[in-house]
Amino acid sequence: TRTRVVVIGAGPAGLTVANLLRGAGIDCVVLEAESREFIERRPRAGFIEEWAVRALARHGLADRVLERAETQAQFEFRFGGERHLIRTAELSGSRHFVYPQPQLVTDLVAAYADAAGGDIRFGVREVRLHDVDGERPAVSYRDPVTGERQRIECELIAGCDGARGVSRAAIPAGRTVLTRHDHGVAWLALLAAAPPSAEGVVFGIHESGLGAHMARSPEITRYYLQVEPGERAENWSDARIWDALRTRLAAAGAPPPAEGPLVEKVVLDMHNYVVEPMAYGRLYLAGDSAHLVAPIAAKGMNLAINDALLLAQALIAHYQGDGSGLADYSQACLRRVWQYLEFSQWLSEVLHGASSGDRFRAGTAAARLRRLLGSRSAAEAFAGLYIGEEADL
Ligand code: RFL
């Protein structure tokens, strides 16, 4: 087969790129390692920032988000037995849209494959990239049904295959720099089949570790518990989990978390990486394949969408004879990536300082919180970063 662009990976990044290319009449093929059913159910992110929803809407990709998503206008810090509300919408003029990632993926697959007749191949095995720095690159894979290797000749490749994909590894050593940062903590990520017990997000800052609550739907609530790096989820019985959540989220006037079966229990190490530049030869990385942002500030999916919008725009311009967008692509993405990494690191200190066992870190974290709660201008600056801004950062 021949096509113009091969998109590897059908996550938020790859599907956004594919939809925009299809909308502009540019031929592409999407290759996805998992089945359609699997990617439409995989639980992950839950918040889309307003600028990203508006950008998707401009391409006709946010009808269902706008119709069905709840929006959040505030969140809560709890510490020292008290509740402190941060009215992010009033402070920033924007909101978070609560929309589970699998639903966004479902919508984007439907728009690309069902409505627009786009070519997407699920369950592909052993994906390999060829001649990425040559004139005629290609991507090959093993067909899941016939077991035969298929080769797709193309002009450009969008590497959107997430943190564990193969695209990044197609860049030879020394042509990109990978920068890592480890927050030194892990979060036990939980999904409870239980209603939320507060409006929106609650961060419980406690000397035994962070406890967080995130309203997802009337039936499902996400919780996080800070745990030691390398901790095993099996060490956390349901009783121990609810006990820790009650302690860490306790505050005067706040009801205890509503309990329910825990349908997901996984330990996530809080670390980040960034690949610079995000391009090599005819390969362009987008989303988690290029940068991983620990889910502390719920930024990963938003960055994936930002990259995808920039990449699609640059590819479309390229086919209209203007290559400047592709030349600037990496730099344009990395500006927002570094802003969001900086904000995640800032918030990480606020959330984890109290439990660090380090009096200096605990003291500076408490000072940040006092400034945030006591100064309108500090709160406005914070809210802009928390919700994310349309403007180039
Ligand atoms: P994805 O979504 O991982 O999609 C990559 C796709 O590529 C496929 N794939 C391959 N396909 C073909 N060949 C291969 N060799 C392949 N290898 C992999 C995969 O099956 C998959 O379908 O990457 P993308 O598109 O860059 O999107 C990034 C986001 O998924 C990610 O940043 C977020 O999920 C991060 N994240 C959160 N982000 C937010 O904005 N808000 C949140 O509240 C939030 N919470 C979270 C999160 C991530 C979490 N995990 C997974 C650590 C909560 C959790 C628990």
Side-chain angles (χ1 to χ4, degrees):
T1 341
R2 269 204 74 83
T3 191
R4 293 200 121 161
V5 182
V6 173
V7 178
I8 308 176
L15 290 167
T16 301
V17 170
N19 271 292
L20 268 58
L21 291 180
R22 186 92 193 141
I26 296 166
D27 236 20
C28 62
V29 176
V30 180
L31 299 178
E32 167 58 49
E34 304 288 352
S35 69
R36 181 169 180 170
E37 297 67 37
F38 183 85
I39 64 165
E40 290 183 347
R41 283 201 203 121
R42 184 167 47 194
R44 280 190 172 180
F47 297 110
I48 318 180
E49 298 174 353
E50 183 162 341
W51 64 267
V53 174
R54 303 269 170 242
L56 290 173
R58 285 198 284 278
H59 298 282
L61 296 173
D63 293 355
R64 305 241 301 168
V65 181
L66 290 167
E67 194 183 294
R68 303 186 356 178
E70 300 231 3
T71 61
Q72 287 184 352
Q74 59 184 52
F75 80 93
E76 219 180 300
F77 283 120
R78 290 184 191 166
F79 57 90
E82 307 238 356
R83 312 172 73 165
H84 304 271
L85 214 57
I86 308 275
R87 299 183 194 282
T88 43
E90 186 196 311
L91 290 160
S92 73
S94 301
R95 289 161 182 260
H96 266 148
F97 284 67
V98 186
Y99 201 67
Q101 183 168 333
Q103 279 184 33
L104 180 69
V105 164
T106 301
D107 297 352
L108 294 175
V109 173
Y112 174 74
D114 306 338
D119 185 342
I120 177 162
R121 305 180 189 178
F122 292 103
V124 298
R125 306 257 159 263
E126 299 164 38
V127 171
R128 283 184 209 138
L129 292 79
H130 310 276
D131 304 321
V132 167
D133 57 345
E135 289 290 302
R136 298 167 58 88
V139 180
S140 67
Y141 63 93
R142 191 172 298 286
D143 185 288
V145 179
T146 64
E148 280 170 27
R149 273 207 89 72
Q150 302 286 341
R151 187 179 167 97
I152 309 175
E153 310 282 338
C154 60
E155 294 162 2
L156 295 157
I157 302 170
C160 308
D161 46 353
R164 299 208 176 93
V166 293
S167 302
R168 193 171 60 238
I171 303 178
R175 300 308 294 263
T176 52
V177 179
L178 188 137
T179 307
R180 286 180 185 280
H181 174 73
D182 192 337
H183 292 288
V185 298
W187 284 8
L188 180 62
L190 306 155
L191 277 177
S197 33
E199 215 186 297
V201 173
V202 181
F203 291 118
I205 299 172
H206 195 267
E207 58 194 23
S208 68
L210 175 78
H213 160 287
M214 304 190 179
R216 279 288 159 91
S217 74
E219 299 85 33
I220 297 281
T221 306
R222 192 180 263 301
Y223 288 101
Y224 291 109
L225 278 175
Q226 178 188 341
V227 295
E228 288 296 316
E231 175 68 299
R232 293 157 58 92
E234 300 86 86
N235 292 341
W236 287 80
S237 66
D238 289 14
R240 185 179 177 202
I241 286 169
W242 291 111
D243 194 43
L245 286 171
R246 272 193 303 272
T247 305
R248 297 179 189 187
L249 291 166
E259 296 186 22
L262 293 166
V263 294
E264 183 190 272
K265 233 192 238 191
V266 287
V267 174
L268 306 175
D269 278 322
M270 293 292 124
H271 61 92
N272 311 296
Y273 65 72
V274 193
V275 174
E276 295 174 292
M278 291 167 49
Y280 170 73
R282 290 172 173 254
L283 167 65
Y284 296 85
L285 303 178
D288 280 10
S289 73
H291 40 73
L292 192 74
V293 185
I296 294 168
K299 294 299 190 189
M301 180 162 65
N302 296 288
L303 285 177
I305 294 170
N306 188 54
D307 291 355
L309 293 166
L310 290 169
L311 181 54
Q313 211 179 334
L315 289 167
I316 293 165
H318 165 82
Y319 284 112
Q320 291 166 347
D322 173 7
S324 62
L326 280 180
D328 294 343
Y329 166 71
S330 173
Q331 260 206 326
C333 296
L334 287 165
R335 279 200 285 274
R336 190 179 289 267
V337 169
W338 280 108
Q339 285 296 341
Y340 281 18
L341 284 166
E342 190 280 328
F343 179 69
S344 291
Q345 188 198 23
W346 191 96
L347 187 62
S348 175
E349 271 306 301
V350 169
L351 300 180
H352 304 123
S355 59
S356 64
D358 177 328
R359 285 182 55 83
F360 182 82
R361 286 181 59 197
T364 49
R368 281 183 182 183
L369 266 174
R370 269 203 312 283
R371 188 168 66 232
L372 181 57
L373 297 168
S375 148
R376 172 88 192 181
S377 57
E380 279 172 359
F382 170 87
L385 287 161
Y386 181 80
I387 302 288
E389 286 159 348
E390 172 94 59
D392 203 3
L393 301 164

mmCIF file of all heavy atoms in Angstrom, residues 283-323:
data_model
loop_
_atom_site.group_PDB
_atom_site.id
_atom_site.type_symbol
_atom_site.label_atom_id
_atom_site.label_comp_id
_atom_site.label_asym_id
_atom_site.label_seq_id
_atom_site.Cartn_x
_atom_site.Cartn_y
_atom_site.Cartn_z
ATOM 1 N N LEU A 283 9.974 11.610 10.528
ATOM 2 C CA LEU A 283 9.169 11.149 11.671
ATOM 3 C C LEU A 283 8.920 12.309 12.633
ATOM 4 O O LEU A 283 9.850 13.009 13.028
ATOM 5 C CB LEU A 283 9.931 10.036 12.401
ATOM 6 C CG LEU A 283 9.431 9.618 13.789
ATOM 7 C CD1 LEU A 283 8.035 8.993 13.700
ATOM 8 C CD2 LEU A 283 10.404 8.636 14.439
ATOM 9 N N TYR A 284 7.655 12.471 13.012
ATOM 10 C CA TYR A 284 7.270 13.494 13.990
ATOM 11 C C TYR A 284 6.576 12.812 15.146
ATOM 12 O O TYR A 284 5.597 12.091 14.947
ATOM 13 C CB TYR A 284 6.336 14.533 13.326
ATOM 14 C CG TYR A 284 7.064 15.281 12.243
ATOM 15 C CD1 TYR A 284 7.145 14.764 10.943
ATOM 16 C CD2 TYR A 284 7.739 16.452 12.526
ATOM 17 C CE1 TYR A 284 7.880 15.414 9.951
ATOM 18 C CE2 TYR A 284 8.480 17.112 11.546
ATOM 19 C CZ TYR A 284 8.540 16.593 10.265
ATOM 20 O OH TYR A 284 9.280 17.234 9.308
ATOM 21 N N LEU A 285 7.091 13.012 16.363
ATOM 22 C CA LEU A 285 6.471 12.412 17.546
ATOM 23 C C LEU A 285 5.402 13.357 18.086
ATOM 24 O O LEU A 285 5.566 14.580 18.031
ATOM 25 C CB LEU A 285 7.517 12.176 18.639
ATOM 26 C CG LEU A 285 8.720 11.315 18.288
ATOM 27 C CD1 LEU A 285 9.667 11.229 19.489
ATOM 28 C CD2 LEU A 285 8.298 9.907 17.855
ATOM 29 N N ALA A 286 4.333 12.789 18.630
ATOM 30 C CA ALA A 286 3.303 13.617 19.270
ATOM 31 C C ALA A 286 2.748 12.879 20.478
ATOM 32 O O ALA A 286 2.604 11.662 20.458
ATOM 33 C CB ALA A 286 2.181 13.927 18.276
ATOM 34 N N GLY A 287 2.434 13.623 21.531
ATOM 35 C CA GLY A 287 1.839 13.042 22.735
ATOM 36 C C GLY A 287 2.865 12.332 23.598
ATOM 37 O O GLY A 287 4.047 12.681 23.618
ATOM 38 N N ASP A 288 2.380 11.304 24.312
ATOM 39 C CA ASP A 288 3.232 10.604 25.288
ATOM 40 C C ASP A 288 4.465 9.952 24.660
ATOM 41 O O ASP A 288 5.418 9.638 25.369
ATOM 42 C CB ASP A 288 2.431 9.508 26.013
ATOM 43 C CG ASP A 288 1.557 10.060 27.145
ATOM 44 O OD1 ASP A 288 1.412 11.283 27.252
ATOM 45 O OD2 ASP A 288 1.013 9.242 27.917
ATOM 46 N N SER A 289 4.477 9.725 23.359
ATOM 47 C CA SER A 289 5.683 9.148 22.748
ATOM 48 C C SER A 289 6.836 10.148 22.868
ATOM 49 O O SER A 289 7.993 9.762 22.897
ATOM 50 C CB SER A 289 5.443 8.752 21.286
ATOM 51 O OG SER A 289 5.367 9.881 20.465
ATOM 52 N N ALA A 290 6.514 11.433 22.937
ATOM 53 C CA ALA A 290 7.548 12.469 23.010
ATOM 54 C C ALA A 290 7.778 12.980 24.420
ATOM 55 O O ALA A 290 8.858 13.484 24.734
ATOM 56 C CB ALA A 290 7.177 13.644 22.104
ATOM 57 N N HIS A 291 6.737 12.901 25.245
ATOM 58 C CA HIS A 291 6.890 13.444 26.601
ATOM 59 C C HIS A 291 5.877 12.821 27.527
ATOM 60 O O HIS A 291 4.713 12.699 27.203
ATOM 61 C CB HIS A 291 6.712 14.965 26.599
ATOM 62 C CG HIS A 291 5.609 15.434 25.705
ATOM 63 N ND1 HIS A 291 4.290 15.263 26.013
ATOM 64 C CD2 HIS A 291 5.638 16.015 24.484
ATOM 65 C CE1 HIS A 291 3.556 15.738 25.038
ATOM 66 N NE2 HIS A 291 4.335 16.191 24.084
ATOM 67 N N LEU A 292 6.345 12.427 28.676
ATOM 68 C CA LEU A 292 5.446 11.871 29.686
ATOM 69 C C LEU A 292 5.392 12.875 30.827
ATOM 70 O O LEU A 292 6.423 13.313 31.311
ATOM 71 C CB LEU A 292 6.005 10.545 30.189
ATOM 72 C CG LEU A 292 5.019 9.738 31.013
ATOM 73 C CD1 LEU A 292 3.969 9.129 30.090
ATOM 74 C CD2 LEU A 292 5.735 8.638 31.757
ATOM 75 N N VAL A 293 4.193 13.242 31.204
ATOM 76 C CA VAL A 293 4.016 14.151 32.334
ATOM 77 C C VAL A 293 3.256 13.389 33.400
ATOM 78 O O VAL A 293 2.151 12.911 33.160
ATOM 79 C CB VAL A 293 3.216 15.409 31.921
ATOM 80 C CG1 VAL A 293 3.152 16.393 33.084
ATOM 81 C CG2 VAL A 293 3.838 16.066 30.719
ATOM 82 N N ALA A 294 3.854 13.257 34.563
ATOM 83 C CA ALA A 294 3.190 12.544 35.662
ATOM 84 C C ALA A 294 1.790 13.125 35.856
ATOM 85 O O ALA A 294 1.613 14.332 35.727
ATOM 86 C CB ALA A 294 4.009 12.723 36.940
ATOM 87 N N PRO A 295 0.784 12.278 36.151
ATOM 88 C CA PRO A 295 -0.598 12.788 36.153
ATOM 89 C C PRO A 295 -0.968 13.704 37.325
ATOM 90 O O PRO A 295 -2.133 13.933 37.577
ATOM 91 C CB PRO A 295 -1.456 11.509 36.154
ATOM 92 C CG PRO A 295 -0.575 10.438 36.646
ATOM 93 C CD PRO A 295 0.827 10.829 36.296
ATOM 94 N N ILE A 296 0.020 14.284 37.987
ATOM 95 C CA ILE A 296 -0.196 15.170 39.136
ATOM 96 C C ILE A 296 -1.148 16.321 38.813
ATOM 97 O O ILE A 296 -2.041 16.634 39.586
ATOM 98 C CB ILE A 296 1.170 15.732 39.607
ATOM 99 C CG1 ILE A 296 2.020 14.595 40.158
ATOM 100 C CG2 ILE A 296 1.000 16.867 40.609
ATOM 101 C CD1 ILE A 296 3.467 14.949 40.395
ATOM 102 N N ALA A 297 -0.953 16.943 37.654
ATOM 103 C CA ALA A 297 -1.777 18.113 37.320
ATOM 104 C C ALA A 297 -2.697 17.826 36.139
ATOM 105 O O ALA A 297 -3.251 18.757 35.549
ATOM 106 C CB ALA A 297 -0.879 19.309 37.036
ATOM 107 N N ALA A 298 -2.877 16.543 35.787
ATOM 108 C CA ALA A 298 -3.797 16.141 34.712
ATOM 109 C C ALA A 298 -3.495 16.839 33.384
ATOM 110 O O ALA A 298 -4.363 17.393 32.734
ATOM 111 C CB ALA A 298 -5.241 16.399 35.141
ATOM 112 N N LYS A 299 -2.237 16.812 32.986
ATOM 113 C CA LYS A 299 -1.832 17.554 31.793
ATOM 114 C C LYS A 299 -1.595 16.693 30.557
ATOM 115 O O LYS A 299 -1.590 17.200 29.434
ATOM 116 C CB LYS A 299 -0.534 18.322 32.096
ATOM 117 C CG LYS A 299 -0.681 19.422 33.131
ATOM 118 C CD LYS A 299 -1.652 20.469 32.665
ATOM 119 C CE LYS A 299 -1.666 21.707 33.538
ATOM 120 N NZ LYS A 299 -2.774 22.607 33.171
ATOM 121 N N GLY A 300 -1.363 15.374 30.728
ATOM 122 C CA GLY A 300 -0.872 14.542 29.621
ATOM 123 C C GLY A 300 -1.752 14.551 28.381
ATOM 124 O O GLY A 300 -1.267 14.774 27.267
ATOM 125 N N MET A 301 -3.036 14.324 28.556
ATOM 126 C CA MET A 301 -3.935 14.245 27.398
ATOM 127 C C MET A 301 -4.044 15.603 26.715
ATOM 128 O O MET A 301 -4.171 15.692 25.489
ATOM 129 C CB MET A 301 -5.308 13.752 27.839
ATOM 130 C CG MET A 301 -6.293 13.647 26.705
ATOM 131 S SD MET A 301 -7.714 12.627 27.062
ATOM 132 C CE MET A 301 -8.544 13.522 28.353
ATOM 133 N N ASN A 302 -3.980 16.665 27.489
ATOM 134 C CA ASN A 302 -4.065 18.005 26.918
ATOM 135 C C ASN A 302 -2.847 18.332 26.072
ATOM 136 O O ASN A 302 -2.961 18.928 25.008
ATOM 137 C CB ASN A 302 -4.248 19.027 28.045
ATOM 138 C CG ASN A 302 -5.575 18.805 28.752
ATOM 139 O OD1 ASN A 302 -6.622 19.096 28.194
ATOM 140 N ND2 ASN A 302 -5.532 18.230 29.942
ATOM 141 N N LEU A 303 -1.683 17.905 26.535
ATOM 142 C CA LEU A 303 -0.472 18.098 25.724
ATOM 143 C C LEU A 303 -0.539 17.260 24.456
ATOM 144 O O LEU A 303 -0.106 17.693 23.393
ATOM 145 C CB LEU A 303 0.777 17.725 26.535
ATOM 146 C CG LEU A 303 1.208 18.720 27.605
ATOM 147 C CD1 LEU A 303 2.416 18.181 28.360
ATOM 148 C CD2 LEU A 303 1.531 20.086 26.997
ATOM 149 N N ALA A 304 -1.081 16.043 24.580
ATOM 150 C CA ALA A 304 -1.206 15.177 23.398
ATOM 151 C C ALA A 304 -2.090 15.845 22.347
ATOM 152 O O ALA A 304 -1.778 15.841 21.152
ATOM 153 C CB ALA A 304 -1.780 13.811 23.804
ATOM 154 N N ILE A 305 -3.178 16.462 22.795
ATOM 155 C CA ILE A 305 -4.086 17.145 21.863
ATOM 156 C C ILE A 305 -3.397 18.367 21.260
ATOM 157 O O ILE A 305 -3.494 18.634 20.065
ATOM 158 C CB ILE A 305 -5.405 17.531 22.579
ATOM 159 C CG1 ILE A 305 -6.172 16.265 22.979
ATOM 160 C CG2 ILE A 305 -6.273 18.420 21.692
ATOM 161 C CD1 ILE A 305 -7.367 16.510 23.909
ATOM 162 N N ASN A 306 -2.653 19.109 22.099
ATOM 163 C CA ASN A 306 -1.947 20.288 21.587
ATOM 164 C C ASN A 306 -0.944 19.904 20.496
ATOM 165 O O ASN A 306 -0.914 20.506 19.421
ATOM 166 C CB ASN A 306 -1.229 20.996 22.738
ATOM 167 C CG ASN A 306 -0.631 22.332 22.313
ATOM 168 O OD1 ASN A 306 -1.337 23.183 21.777
ATOM 169 N ND2 ASN A 306 0.655 22.515 22.532
ATOM 170 N N ASP A 307 -0.127 18.882 20.770
ATOM 171 C CA ASP A 307 0.835 18.418 19.751
ATOM 172 C C ASP A 307 0.101 18.041 18.470
ATOM 173 O O ASP A 307 0.525 18.385 17.363
ATOM 174 C CB ASP A 307 1.559 17.134 20.214
ATOM 175 C CG ASP A 307 2.515 17.349 21.372
ATOM 176 O OD1 ASP A 307 2.717 18.492 21.794
ATOM 177 O OD2 ASP A 307 3.067 16.331 21.854
ATOM 178 N N ALA A 308 -0.985 17.277 18.635
ATOM 179 C CA ALA A 308 -1.696 16.750 17.472
ATOM 180 C C ALA A 308 -2.260 17.876 16.613
ATOM 181 O O ALA A 308 -2.188 17.831 15.377
ATOM 182 C CB ALA A 308 -2.818 15.823 17.935
ATOM 183 N N LEU A 309 -2.796 18.904 17.253
ATOM 184 C CA LEU A 309 -3.350 20.040 16.503
ATOM 185 C C LEU A 309 -2.235 20.735 15.731
ATOM 186 O O LEU A 309 -2.389 21.066 14.553
ATOM 187 C CB LEU A 309 -4.015 21.027 17.466
ATOM 188 C CG LEU A 309 -5.281 20.513 18.184
ATOM 189 C CD1 LEU A 309 -5.630 21.433 19.354
ATOM 190 C CD2 LEU A 309 -6.464 20.413 17.216
ATOM 191 N N LEU A 310 -1.075 20.934 16.399
ATOM 192 C CA LEU A 310 0.045 21.606 15.738
ATOM 193 C C LEU A 310 0.603 20.758 14.597
ATOM 194 O O LEU A 310 0.938 21.261 13.530
ATOM 195 C CB LEU A 310 1.148 21.917 16.752
ATOM 196 C CG LEU A 310 0.821 23.002 17.785
ATOM 197 C CD1 LEU A 310 1.867 23.029 18.898
ATOM 198 C CD2 LEU A 310 0.739 24.373 17.101
ATOM 199 N N LEU A 311 0.683 19.438 14.851
ATOM 200 C CA LEU A 311 1.251 18.567 13.818
ATOM 201 C C LEU A 311 0.331 18.506 12.591
ATOM 202 O O LEU A 311 0.801 18.630 11.458
ATOM 203 C CB LEU A 311 1.496 17.154 14.380
ATOM 204 C CG LEU A 311 2.105 16.157 13.400
ATOM 205 C CD1 LEU A 311 3.400 16.690 12.776
ATOM 206 C CD2 LEU A 311 2.373 14.809 14.091
ATOM 207 N N ALA A 312 -0.966 18.352 12.829
ATOM 208 C CA ALA A 312 -1.903 18.271 11.700
ATOM 209 C C ALA A 312 -1.862 19.566 10.885
ATOM 210 O O ALA A 312 -1.797 19.541 9.652
ATOM 211 C CB ALA A 312 -3.311 17.999 12.214
ATOM 212 N N GLN A 313 -1.855 20.684 11.601
ATOM 213 C CA GLN A 313 -1.796 21.985 10.932
ATOM 214 C C GLN A 313 -0.529 22.094 10.078
ATOM 215 O O GLN A 313 -0.569 22.547 8.937
ATOM 216 C CB GLN A 313 -1.742 23.031 12.044
ATOM 217 C CG GLN A 313 -2.358 24.345 11.758
ATOM 218 C CD GLN A 313 -2.197 25.224 13.014
ATOM 219 O OE1 GLN A 313 -2.081 24.737 14.158
ATOM 220 N NE2 GLN A 313 -2.182 26.516 12.812
ATOM 221 N N ALA A 314 0.600 21.660 10.644
ATOM 222 C CA ALA A 314 1.879 21.745 9.930
ATOM 223 C C ALA A 314 1.897 20.795 8.724
ATOM 224 O O ALA A 314 2.430 21.126 7.666
ATOM 225 C CB ALA A 314 3.027 21.419 10.881
ATOM 226 N N LEU A 315 1.304 19.611 8.875
ATOM 227 C CA LEU A 315 1.271 18.642 7.761
ATOM 228 C C LEU A 315 0.390 19.178 6.631
ATOM 229 O O LEU A 315 0.737 19.077 5.449
ATOM 230 C CB LEU A 315 0.734 17.295 8.252
ATOM 231 C CG LEU A 315 1.665 16.490 9.184
ATOM 232 C CD1 LEU A 315 0.914 15.345 9.849
ATOM 233 C CD2 LEU A 315 2.875 15.949 8.403
ATOM 234 N N ILE A 316 -0.737 19.762 7.000
ATOM 235 C CA ILE A 316 -1.650 20.301 5.988
ATOM 236 C C ILE A 316 -0.955 21.442 5.233
ATOM 237 O O ILE A 316 -0.969 21.489 4.002
ATOM 238 C CB ILE A 316 -2.979 20.757 6.641
ATOM 239 C CG1 ILE A 316 -3.739 19.532 7.174
ATOM 240 C CG2 ILE A 316 -3.845 21.525 5.648
ATOM 241 C CD1 ILE A 316 -4.878 19.845 8.144
ATOM 242 N N ALA A 317 -0.261 22.319 5.988
ATOM 243 C CA ALA A 317 0.474 23.422 5.344
ATOM 244 C C ALA A 317 1.564 22.880 4.417
ATOM 245 O O ALA A 317 1.770 23.379 3.316
ATOM 246 C CB ALA A 317 1.078 24.339 6.408
ATOM 247 N N HIS A 318 2.237 21.818 4.872
ATOM 248 C CA HIS A 318 3.289 21.192 4.065
ATOM 249 C C HIS A 318 2.734 20.754 2.700
ATOM 250 O O HIS A 318 3.353 20.979 1.658
ATOM 251 C CB HIS A 318 3.861 19.997 4.838
ATOM 252 C CG HIS A 318 4.684 19.053 4.029
ATOM 253 N ND1 HIS A 318 6.013 19.278 3.746
ATOM 254 C CD2 HIS A 318 4.365 17.872 3.427
ATOM 255 C CE1 HIS A 318 6.484 18.277 3.004
ATOM 256 N NE2 HIS A 318 5.498 17.415 2.807
ATOM 257 N N TYR A 319 1.543 20.141 2.719
ATOM 258 C CA TYR A 319 0.951 19.686 1.457
ATOM 259 C C TYR A 319 0.382 20.826 0.623
ATOM 260 O O TYR A 319 0.025 20.651 -0.523
ATOM 261 C CB TYR A 319 -0.084 18.585 1.706
ATOM 262 C CG TYR A 319 0.618 17.265 2.013
ATOM 263 C CD1 TYR A 319 0.554 16.682 3.264
ATOM 264 C CD2 TYR A 319 1.403 16.645 1.039
ATOM 265 C CE1 TYR A 319 1.229 15.502 3.544
ATOM 266 C CE2 TYR A 319 2.092 15.472 1.308
ATOM 267 C CZ TYR A 319 1.997 14.901 2.554
ATOM 268 O OH TYR A 319 2.680 13.742 2.817
ATOM 269 N N GLN A 320 0.349 22.017 1.235
ATOM 270 C CA GLN A 320 -0.037 23.197 0.444
ATOM 271 C C GLN A 320 1.204 23.986 0.043
ATOM 272 O O GLN A 320 1.104 25.123 -0.420
ATOM 273 C CB GLN A 320 -0.985 24.089 1.273
ATOM 274 C CG GLN A 320 -2.339 23.429 1.493
ATOM 275 C CD GLN A 320 -3.163 24.116 2.587
ATOM 276 O OE1 GLN A 320 -2.648 24.943 3.349
ATOM 277 N NE2 GLN A 320 -4.437 23.775 2.659
ATOM 278 N N GLY A 321 2.385 23.392 0.295
ATOM 279 C CA GLY A 321 3.624 24.013 -0.175
ATOM 280 C C GLY A 321 4.356 24.856 0.856
ATOM 281 O O GLY A 321 5.343 25.507 0.546
ATOM 282 N N ASP A 322 3.889 24.851 2.113
ATOM 283 C CA ASP A 322 4.553 25.646 3.141
ATOM 284 C C ASP A 322 5.131 24.725 4.218
ATOM 285 O O ASP A 322 4.407 24.189 5.041
ATOM 286 C CB ASP A 322 3.530 26.619 3.748
ATOM 287 C CG ASP A 322 4.082 27.377 4.960
ATOM 288 O OD1 ASP A 322 5.295 27.247 5.245
ATOM 289 O OD2 ASP A 322 3.296 28.082 5.607
ATOM 290 N N GLY A 323 6.445 24.564 4.204
ATOM 291 C CA GLY A 323 7.089 23.621 5.117
ATOM 292 C C GLY A 323 7.490 24.226 6.454
ATOM 293 O O GLY A 323 8.062 23.536 7.307
#
